[in-house]
């Protein structure tokens, strides 16, 4: 599955997941969320401020996870520090959840 950012025209790889354990103890985690629109519905995207790399969201009856810091192409460390890395916690307010993988949609775009 992929999320497509309508405004920025970017793809995010989505992984099927279970509901995350959103407890503050004993791992010292701090959960927060941001609202986003997925296929026209408002959805909470949960992420762990302390240790997390993924944002979790429930769409329909299923839970998914997506890395909120990622790059769609292979980038060097220099590129990442110059702002090429995408921060899904800020960007991507209007998203489409699509079946398939990122490589399939990249081939269609070329």
């Amino acid at each position: 599955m992929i999320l497509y950012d309508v405004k920025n025209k970017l793809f995010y790889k989505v992984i099927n997941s279970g509901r995350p354990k959103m407890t503050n103890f004993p791992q010292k985690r701090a959960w927060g969320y941001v609202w986003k629109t997925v296929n026209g519905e408002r959805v909470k995207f949960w992420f762990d401020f302390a240790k997390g790399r993924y944002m979790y969201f429930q769409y329909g009856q299923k839970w998914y996870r997506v890395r909120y810091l990622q790059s769609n192409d292979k980038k060097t460390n220099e590129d990442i520090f110059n702002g090429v890395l995408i921060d899904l916690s800020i960007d991507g307010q209007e998203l489409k959840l699509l079946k398939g993988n990122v490589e399939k949609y990249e081939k269609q775009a070329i």
Side-chain angles (χ1 to χ4, degrees):
M1 304 283 292
I2 60 168
L3 279 174
Y4 176 66
D5 181 350
V6 175
K7 180 182 176 189
N8 299 315
K9 296 180 175 55
L10 299 171
F11 297 103
Y12 303 94
K13 184 177 179 180
V14 176
I15 302 165
N16 289 334
S17 178
R19 186 180 192 281
K21 296 177 183 171
M22 292 186 232
T23 60
N24 291 330
F25 304 104
Q27 293 109 356
K28 307 271 193 266
R29 297 188 146 206
W31 289 92
Y33 65 87
V34 291
W35 286 101
K36 299 200 176 284
T37 304
V38 177
N39 294 346
E41 294 180 33
R42 283 194 67 190
V43 176
K44 280 185 187 177
F45 278 69
W46 292 90
F47 58 103
D48 178 8
F49 292 108
K51 299 181 182 180
R53 293 183 307 192
Y54 293 96
M55 296 179 78
Y56 295 85
F57 66 99
Q58 183 179 15
Y59 184 76
Q61 299 297 320
K62 295 180 78 174
W63 280 89
Y64 302 95
R65 68 180 175 170
V66 60
R67 278 197 146 170
Y68 62 89
L69 288 176
Q70 64 176 284
S71 173
N72 285 342
D73 298 314
K74 302 269 191 253
K75 302 290 180 189
T76 65
N77 287 342
E78 254 179 46
D79 292 334
I80 291 169
F81 290 119
N82 289 332
V84 175
L85 203 61
I86 302 156
D87 188 351
L88 188 56
S89 63
I90 298 168
D91 292 326
Q93 298 304 315
E94 186 180 343
L95 303 165
K96 301 278 184 194
L97 184 63
L98 306 169
K99 291 186 178 184
N101 57 25
V102 174
E103 292 81 19
K104 173 185 168 186
Y105 287 94
E106 284 177 349
K107 286 178 187 175
Q108 288 178 353
I110 293 176

